[in-house]
Amino acid sequence: MGFPQARAMRALYYSGNSSLDDALNWIVEHENDADIDELPLVDVDIEIESSEPFPVSEEIKRAEQLRDENRKRKEEEEKKLQREREKERIQAGKNLLEAKRIAEQNERKRNLALRKAEKEQEKRAREKVRQKLEQDKLNRRSMLGGNPQESHAAVNSSAIRVQEERNSKPVYKVAKTDHLSNCLRSLKRNHKGEDARVRRAFQTLLIYVGNVVKNPNEEKYRKIRLSNPVFQDRVGSLKGGVEFLELCGFERVGEFLCLPHEKVDTEVLKSAGSALNTAITNPFFGLLST
């Protein structure tokens, strides 16, 4: 019937060697046993060879049919399990792609919001400086005994002239201001995660620039030793620090950064100071490229 000899002997022994049907039923019930094909550890002498044809009863046919059905059922269950796993894998891939798309979309929205906030902050800062300058002019005129209304009108007229002069500035002045701001943005991005160190560098640069503006004739304010430990710690060791001073007019002369007196450009230095103030006070400065 196709059974291994050890299994047949085991079935005959444990079924009491009573009948073929009992032995077949035992095999069907125990076919998943780990030791199903091991000989029983007993002394038996069973003659299993016979020259006569073995009759196949209905019980044997049912046992074989049951075994085939069990095998087919297991195969179908395995195929179904494999299909379900494949569906889960495909769905997991789709979920991952969707999550990635949503994350990228949110990142774009965040970048746009940060850029808008940075521009608004810079606009408010410029407007605040403009208003303060106008108020200072008005106060000075009032102290000199002028009519406040006339002074205000004069301030407005002056503001218009300033705006006209600003619009008529050479292109290289505007480009220089943009280079200064871009240099500070690059410095902040190059040292991302070091906010305290970057802020200290901006403050130190503001001191250098302010000293030259206030004392353009003092050589000590226009000369910086590159090997100075304080300078190296606060500015020189940061990528973009020395470049910013060079944009302000400083030149490398041996182991010094020097700003020749004849090359002191007050407007450029004031633009540098304004860019540094914005970089220090604007929390969104440098987060995005312009």
Side-chain angles (χ1 to χ4, degrees), residues 10-24:
R10 196 176 187 86
L12 291 172
Y13 174 77
Y14 286 107
S15 64
N17 199 24
S18 57
S19 68
L20 180 59
D21 291 341
D22 291 340
L24 288 173

Side-chain angles (χ1 to χ4, degrees), residues 39-224:
L39 289 172
L41 302 179
V42 293
D43 293 330
V44 294
D45 185 11
I46 302 175
E47 180 66 37
I48 62 173
E49 295 183 0
S50 174
S51 58
E52 297 181 359
F54 189 84
V56 180
S57 63
E58 291 297 327
E59 289 79 1
I60 295 176
K61 292 181 180 179
R62 284 196 300 272
E64 292 178 348
Q65 183 180 1
L66 180 61
R67 183 175 60 183
D68 293 339
E69 290 175 355
N70 289 336
R71 186 182 66 255
K72 290 180 181 180
R73 185 180 69 253
K74 290 181 179 180
E75 291 176 353
E76 291 177 357
E77 291 176 353
E78 182 65 24
K79 290 180 180 179
K80 182 178 179 181
L81 183 60
Q82 290 179 355
R83 288 195 297 269
E84 291 177 354
R85 289 174 180 172
E86 182 66 16
K87 290 181 180 179
E88 291 176 357
R89 186 187 66 79
I90 294 174
Q91 186 62 39
K94 291 181 179 179
N95 293 341
L96 182 61
L97 291 175
E98 180 65 15
K100 183 178 179 181
R101 184 189 66 80
I102 294 175
E104 291 176 349
Q105 183 179 6
N106 292 337
E107 182 67 16
R108 286 195 296 270
K109 290 181 180 179
R110 176 177 172 275
N111 289 341
L112 290 174
L114 288 174
R115 180 176 296 180
K116 183 177 179 182
E118 180 180 342
K119 289 183 178 179
E120 289 294 330
Q121 184 73 11
E122 291 180 351
K123 182 179 179 181
R124 287 195 295 269
R126 288 195 298 269
E127 181 64 20
K128 187 176 180 180
V129 172
R130 186 188 66 78
Q131 292 178 357
K132 186 160 187 322
L133 290 174
E134 291 182 358
Q135 186 62 41
D136 290 343
K137 291 180 181 178
L138 185 61
N139 291 340
R140 287 196 298 271
R141 290 180 181 274
S142 297
M143 291 176 63
L144 294 174
N147 188 328
Q149 293 182 351
E150 293 178 355
S151 299
H152 185 68
V155 169
N156 288 338
S157 176
S158 176
I160 293 174
R161 287 197 302 273
V162 169
Q163 183 63 36
E164 291 175 351
E165 292 175 358
R166 184 182 303 167
N167 293 336
S168 63
K169 283 183 179 180
V171 175
Y172 76 90
K173 293 289 185 183
V174 178
K176 175 71 75 172
T177 302
D178 291 340
H179 287 330
L180 290 166
S181 296
N182 289 336
C183 183
L184 294 177
R185 290 190 180 93
S186 178
L187 188 153
K188 187 169 184 178
R189 287 194 296 270
N190 289 335
H191 299 277
K192 187 176 182 181
E194 303 178 80
D195 293 344
R197 188 181 178 200
V198 171
R199 182 180 181 84
R200 187 177 64 174
F202 289 167
Q203 293 171 341
T204 305
L205 288 170
L206 185 60
I207 292 173
Y208 285 135
V209 172
N211 285 339
V212 177
V213 173
K214 295 176 183 177
N215 308 280
N217 296 323
E218 292 287 340
E219 184 180 1
K220 65 179 180 180
Y221 295 124
R222 294 184 284 104
K223 191 173 183 179
I224 304 171

Side-chain angles (χ1 to χ4, degrees), residues 223-227 250-258:
K223 191 173 183 179
I224 304 171
R225 185 185 295 272
L226 289 170
S227 60
F250 283 83
E251 300 174 353
R252 294 176 185 260
V253 180
E255 60 176 359
F256 291 94
L257 276 176
C258 298

